[in-house]
Structures are given as C-alpha cells and as structure tokens.
Amino acid sequence: MDVTSIIEPLNDAQREAVTAPSAPLLVVAGAGSGKTRVLVHRVAWLLQVENVSPLGILAVTFTNKAAAEMRGRIESLLGLPVSNLWIGTFHGLAHRLLRKHWREAGLPQSFQIIDSDDQQRLIRRMLKNMEVDDSVWIPREVQWFINNQKDEGLRPDDIRDQGDQNRRELIHFYRSYQEICEHSGLVDFAELLLRSLELWINNPAVLERYQRRFGHLLVDEFQDTNAVQYEWLRRLAGDSGIPFAVGDDDQSIYRWRGARVENLQKFRRHFPGAHTVKLEQNYRSTATILKAANAIIENNSSRMKKKLWTAGSEGEPIRIYSAYNERDEADFIIGRIQEGQNQGAARSDIAILYRSNAQSRVFEEALLRNNIPYRVFGGQRFFERAEIKDALAYLRLIASRDDDASFERVVNLPTRGIGARTVDIIRQYARANAISMWQAARTAAGGQLSGRAANAAGAFLQLIEMLDRDTGDMALHEQVDHAIQNSGLIPHYRKQTRDRAEARIENLEELVSAARGFEPDEEDSLPPLEAFLSNAVLESGEAQADDWEDCVQLMTLHTAKGLEFPVVIITGMEDGLFPHSRSLNDPDGLEE
C-alpha cells in the first residue's frame, strides 16, 4: 500500500493530523468532521509509513461498537488483518490487563466481573445484613457514591468525611462493600479502571514494560474521559509515549457522570510540546445548521475556539415555531411529520429530541392519537416507567379498593413496616376466602397478623381512605397531584441520586400535566379519574413499533449523540427545560 492511498481521501487538516511527526498531538475535531477517519488513517500511516509494529499501537474508543468499526475500517484500508492491535474501550483494555496481571493487581486468577444490576443487588444484601434501613440508605444511592469515588481514583481510606455523618456512613458502606468484593473475587466496572490504574502505580516494572511496548496511544472522545481514565493514560504515556488524542470540548455532555472536559486543557499542560490540529470542515450538516450552531456555541467562554464550515449546500432554513403550550407544540410536530409523509419521506428519518424523558409523554399521546408508529429510543414509554406505575397504583386504589395488583405494588412503597411475610399472609388469606387483599388486610388477615404488622397494614388502609376522602371534590389534575404529594412518593424518590431523583419527580409532575390536559371520550360515562386510569392502561399496553417497522424516533439529546437523522425536531426550547433549571445558576453547566 502506498502513501498516496492513505492520504488522498483526506482534506488538508485531516492530512496534517494523520501525517504529523511522532510527537504528542491533540486533534480538536468538530462534529461531523471525520474524526474516525483521521484515527483510522493515522493507524495506517504509522504501520505503513512509519513502520511501527502493530504491537506498539494502543487505541482507546468510547464504545465496543466504535472499536469494532475502527478495526474493520483499518483492515479494509490496509487489506490485511490487524489482530495484534490493541483496540478497545477503557473497560475492555483494563480487563485484558488485569487478566494478564491478576497476581500483581492483587486479584484471584478467576475473578468475576459484575454488572451494574449485580452490583446493586450485592449492595442491597450488604445493607440488609448490616441491618441498615434501606428506606434511609437507598442501595442505588450507595452504589452511586461508591462508583463516583472510584471514578475519582479514591479508596475508602483516601476519603475525608468532612465532619458529615452521612458521608461518614457512606465511606463505611464503601469499605464494607470493598471487603465483600475482595473476599468474593468480584470486580465491578469502576473497579476495572481503578484497579488497572493501581496496577501502574504499584508495579513500576509492569508499567515500564507497557510503556516500552506502546509507543503510540490513540484516544477517541477524549472530552469524555474521567479522572481515572486520564491518569491511566498519562502514566502509560510516561516521558516517551506519543499520545494522539481526538476530542471536542463542544461535544462534552457527560459531566453529570464524571467526564472532565478540562482534560483537553490538561493534555496540553502535561505534554508541553503537544501540537494542536483543528478539524473544522463538517461533512454531515448544511451550512445553515452550522451557522446556527456556531452562533450559539461561540458564546461559551472556556472553549477552544473553532468554527465549523461546510463545502456542501446552504440547506433549508431552520424552522422555529413558538407554541402556545405543549399540546400545541405536539400538534405542530404531528403536522410536520404528516407533511413529510405526504412528500414520501420515511418516518424513521424523523427524530424528536427532548432534554428530559418526562417530555416524551405528550408526543407519545399525539403520535398514538394519529396512528403514527414510534419508538422511544434508549428508554421506556412514559406510562411504563416505574414511578408512573407507582403513582397510578395509588390512584387505582382510590378508585377501587379491590385492585390486588395495585395493593401489592404500593402497600409498602415507601417502606412502612409491611414486609414480604406480611404481604404473603394477606395474599394467602385473601385467596383462601375469595376476597380482595384490601378486605383481607381490614381483618388483619383473620387475626393472623402480629400486632405490629396489623397496625402497619391498618395505617396504609387509612392513608388510602384519607386520600379518597380528601380528593373527592377535586378536579382530576388536583386529585392526581394530591395523591402524589401525600402518598410519600416524592420524599421516597428524593432519596435517590440527584439526577435519578429529579428525573422521577419530573415524570410525576408530567403525570399531573397529563391529567390536566386529559379529555375523556364524550361517550365515556366513567368518572374522570377512572377514565384517566383506563386511558393510561391502554396507552401503556400499546406496543412500540417493531424493529423493522418504519417509525418516528423519540429520544433525549444525550441519547442522540453520534446519531444522524435527515429531519430533527428539537422540543422544549425554554428556560427550565433546555437549558435545564439546575444549569441556570451554574456557568459550567449552562455552557455544557
């Protein structure tokens, strides 16, 4: 393969990056500017022109899919397999290292990796064995704390409690969790990264071996690296390694899960001789879209200045619609979709984007009403979300005490001292006597419940009776709001991690909005609450479009990263939604 075939398809900036001398290089690659192409051709250049051994190259990608795509494109470009190349995600490469050096890493040879769900179950069992009230210490919140500390490179002994009793307890849980994992030979995802960093720190000979081997380190999506990942790379590069980092501060949207866009700036400090190349020619979007994007992003003060441009067409004007309310917004979008369909456009070419999952509800309703197939990409439909089902269960019990499924769902949610054994006794008594669980609970399951369990069950029955009595004369949306506010669901969800808590509470608030806008069928003789609940069941029962079906795509802006659609509709462009309310007083969050 000659040099021409490697560089011929590249523009001037891409060519500059691909053919750069063997020295640290930071490629600031704008959206749609061909960063994957640059990485692929850089590897080909190193192999074919610089005569670097495949064994001397390590490439880090953000996802397994990206790693497979990069390997495939390199092999296609070179016309030969490159099995000796180390290409993978941070987690994948860390796992590979720990399997090779389990002894030096302080792990058993047969260590097992646990996923996020297994980790949460382990933490739940640990808290139960420690006789910790899981209504006070939510397992998911403990999990978040542990993983967050690991992402920062911290072990329990490295963390100060700062005089905070809650923080002291979380550190204690982290220490106990670590002891269980050590004893059982378990490694979670965050541990893979932290343990592999500690492999470098505690074993200089092992680190030196890999520093000598991997002279060239290529890293994709550099703006999304966290503290441990950055330090892992920096130590592996050492004084002689040649890092080739590709990233874009304008595409950093994962600060909430530990990504540090400032790593782009740190790169230039830690590698003083590093050269920077900017990829500014966009191959994805029209000139109109790029002008709009540039006009917005240039207001950010801390970014690396660049201006995307395209040699392509000017494109259609961006249409801005100022909606009267969310229903008017949804109706406009339906009209836009139908307009496209009439012109022969595929529904799958259309993406509806929103900042918060709660916003999907009104669009789902409108699409269903107009018989337009859709899929919620990377998420659940609104009425299938756990917190919505919880709220609806309370409402169903208000409407009908004999709804056993709803009774079981919320009788101990939030926890109120009604354990699984108590529920089981109530259930068995109800079945034996052909009555509902509500009726069984009223009799304390025929006297089979202990005094404490009977009191707890009685308190739950009184709560439902009170909610029914208090909401009897209220409008539908007031009934829904009152039930949510007084059932204990809001404080229950507030105990979860901040992002998850806010998302769940936003969804519950959206349920109130759904009730406010609900219009029952004129021929429907049911009371408003029962009509609303019936409608919710019908909507949750509507299956999403099949994988092969031509359907509109609904997703959050975070989910949409890296995807492309001919028609993109961005919704909720208003203060408090986009940008989100929690970003308005945070300059860094607002810029992101």
Side-chain angles (χ1 to χ4, degrees):
M1 183 179 189
D2 59 22
V3 174
T4 305
S5 59
I6 296 177
I7 63 174
E8 188 175 22
L10 308 175
N11 64 34
D12 290 344
Q14 292 171 341
R15 191 171 299 175
E16 180 184 359
V18 167
T19 64
S22 292
L25 184 72
L26 178 61
V27 180
V28 181
S33 62
K35 63 183 178 64
T36 303
R37 170 179 281 191
V38 164
L39 285 164
V40 167
H41 284 254
R42 176 63 173 179
V43 172
W45 179 269
L46 292 173
L47 295 174
Q48 295 293 318
V49 180
E50 302 288 347
N51 294 317
V52 174
S53 166
L55 296 173
I57 297 174
L58 180 141
V60 186
T61 62
F62 204 60
T63 65
N64 289 317
K65 181 181 178 182
E69 180 185 357
M70 183 182 293
R71 184 180 296 278
R73 288 174 64 170
I74 292 170
E75 291 180 344
S76 177
L77 181 61
L78 295 176
L80 51 90
V82 286
S83 56
N84 289 330
L85 279 176
W86 275 41
I87 301 178
T89 64
F90 277 103
H91 290 100
L93 295 173
H95 178 230
R96 189 169 179 177
L97 279 168
L98 295 177
R99 286 297 179 197
K100 285 177 172 287
H101 301 282
W102 54 272
R103 186 177 287 105
E104 295 94 330
L107 291 168
Q109 186 174 11
S110 59
F111 71 85
Q112 298 295 312
I113 301 174
I114 55 174
D115 63 17
S116 181
D117 289 341
D118 289 336
Q119 182 188 27
Q120 189 180 145
R121 279 192 286 270
L122 190 155
I123 290 171
R124 183 176 287 109
R125 287 197 303 271
M126 176 190 78
L127 296 176
K128 184 176 181 179
N129 292 337
M130 296 171 73
E131 298 184 347
V132 171
D133 185 351
D134 64 3
S135 67
V136 177
W137 294 105
I138 309 298
R140 192 179 294 278
E141 185 173 329
V142 176
Q143 178 186 30
W144 179 87
F145 176 83
I146 292 171
N147 290 342
N148 189 57
Q149 301 310 310
K150 290 188 179 186
D151 285 345
E152 293 297 316
L154 302 175
R155 293 294 187 190
D157 291 343
D158 302 322
I159 310 168
R160 306 278 75 84
D161 61 33
Q162 301 166 347
D164 185 323
Q165 179 61 34
N166 284 350
R167 189 172 174 84
R168 188 176 302 125
E169 282 296 312
L170 287 167
I171 296 169
H172 174 57
F173 296 150
Y174 181 9
R175 184 174 286 107
S176 299
Y177 170 79
Q178 182 172 296
E179 290 171 357
I180 292 170
C181 290
E182 292 280 355
H183 178 73
S184 306
L186 301 176
V187 176
D188 58 53
F189 288 149
E191 182 73 17
L192 282 172
L193 298 174
L194 179 53
R195 186 72 65 135
S196 64
L197 173 60
E198 292 171 343
L199 177 68
W200 294 157
I201 295 171
N202 300 327
N203 299 274
V206 174
L207 174 59
E208 185 180 353
R209 169 183 163 185
Y210 285 96
Q211 286 175 335
R212 287 197 307 269
R213 172 173 176 174
F214 294 123
H216 293 269
L217 311 173
L218 293 88
V219 189
D220 193 10
E221 303 285 9
F222 197 74
Q223 78 280 352
D224 292 330
T225 53
N226 63 27
V228 164
Q229 292 165 340
Y230 180 86
E231 187 62 17
W232 185 89
L233 287 163
R234 191 177 74 84
R235 287 179 179 268
L236 181 56
D239 297 326
S240 58
I242 303 169
F244 184 97
V246 181
D248 181 14
D249 51 344
D250 291 341
Q251 295 186 63
S252 178
I253 59 172
Y254 293 117
R255 192 166 67 110
W256 53 276
R257 69 182 192 194
R260 292 188 173 185
V261 66
E262 59 267 26
N263 286 345
L264 288 165
Q265 302 288 357
K266 288 172 67 175
F267 182 91
R268 298 198 289 192
R269 291 200 304 271
H270 284 140
F271 303 99
H275 181 52
T276 300
V277 175
K278 295 181 180 180
L279 303 185
E280 297 173 301
Q281 183 175 359
N282 177 284
Y283 293 92
R284 179 183 300 159
S285 304
T286 64
T288 299
I289 290 174
L290 293 180
K291 287 176 185 175
N294 284 328
I296 293 171
I297 202 72
E298 69 184 8
N299 293 298
N300 284 2
S301 60
S302 58
R303 63 188 288 260
M304 297 177 175
K305 300 297 182 184
K306 65 178 180 303
K307 200 174 189 72
L308 292 178
W309 62 277
T310 181
S313 65
E314 191 71 17
E316 297 180 30
I318 294 171
R319 296 174 65 178
I320 299 176
Y321 181 72
S322 181
Y324 177 70
N325 56 29
E326 60 181 3
R327 289 186 172 274
D328 184 33
E329 180 182 47
D331 288 342
F332 169 78
I333 290 171
I334 293 297
R336 182 79 176 87
I337 293 169
Q338 291 172 336
E339 178 186 313
Q341 286 182 280
N342 292 336
Q343 296 172 0
R347 288 187 289 262
S348 56
D349 284 345
I350 302 169
I352 301 174
L353 309 184
Y354 35 81
R355 173 61 182 82
S356 165
N357 274 310
Q359 292 169 258
S360 79
R361 192 270 311 170
V362 69
F363 305 121
E364 291 186 56
E365 284 186 356
L367 290 163
L368 285 168
R369 194 165 55 244
N370 288 274
N371 297 314
I372 299 174
Y374 72 92
R375 169 171 288 104
V376 179
F377 196 100
Q380 288 180 305
R381 292 157 63 99
F382 182 78
F383 285 103
E384 293 174 349
R385 292 167 188 156
E387 61 275 14
I388 299 303
K389 288 186 173 182
D390 294 340
L392 291 175
Y394 273 102
L395 293 168
R396 287 196 179 95
L397 279 178
I398 291 172
S400 172
R401 304 294 194 274
D402 294 336
D403 186 334
D404 284 354
S406 295
F407 181 94
E408 286 206 50
R409 185 175 185 96
V410 295
V411 67
N412 199 40
L413 183 75
T415 52
R416 46 177 62 92
I418 304 174
R421 175 61 182 155
T422 298
V423 174
D424 191 48
I425 291 172
I426 294 173
R427 185 190 305 111
Q428 290 181 18
Y429 184 82
R431 288 177 181 173
N433 292 275
I435 58 176
S436 69
M437 293 182 69
W438 177 276
Q439 292 171 313
R442 286 185 64 180
T443 67
Q448 295 180 43
L449 296 183
S450 67
R452 182 177 178 183
N455 289 336
F460 172 70
L461 302 185
Q462 290 174 15
L463 170 65
I464 300 300
E465 296 284 8
M466 180 193 71
L467 291 175
D468 186 13
R469 185 173 60 251
D470 292 349
T471 59
D473 297 325
M474 292 181 179
L476 175 61
H477 72 278
E478 292 174 335
Q479 284 182 288
V480 175
D481 185 51
H482 186 84
I484 289 172
Q485 296 296 335
N486 292 278
S487 62
L489 288 177
I490 297 290
H492 168 71
Y493 286 124
R494 284 201 191 282
K495 294 174 183 175
Q496 299 187 358
T497 59
R498 190 183 78 167
D499 287 328
R500 182 170 291 274
E502 289 185 358
R504 291 193 185 281
I505 292 169
E506 283 177 359
N507 286 337
L508 292 174
E509 291 169 349
E510 183 62 25
L511 183 64
V512 177
S513 296
R516 182 182 289 110
F518 176 68
E519 297 177 0
D521 192 307
E522 292 181 2
E523 298 180 1
D524 197 339
S525 60
L526 289 172
L529 177 58
E530 292 182 39
F532 177 69
L533 292 171
S534 297
N535 181 71
V537 172
L538 291 172
E539 290 208 9
S540 64
E542 289 281 346
Q544 294 201 51
D546 293 322
D547 290 339
W548 49 264
E549 191 171 354
D550 181 25
C551 59
V552 174
Q553 309 292 312
L554 276 66
M555 66 192 76
T556 64
L557 288 139
H558 284 95
T559 302
K561 182 177 178 184
L563 302 178
E564 299 180 27
F565 298 94
V567 180
V568 176
I569 302 168
I570 305 179
T571 66
M573 302 287 283
E574 56 193 77
D575 282 353
L577 277 180
F578 189 32
H580 198 276
S581 57
R582 67 171 176 261
S583 299
L584 294 177
N585 298 317
D586 175 5
D588 291 335
L590 188 61
E591 289 201 356
E592 180 174 318

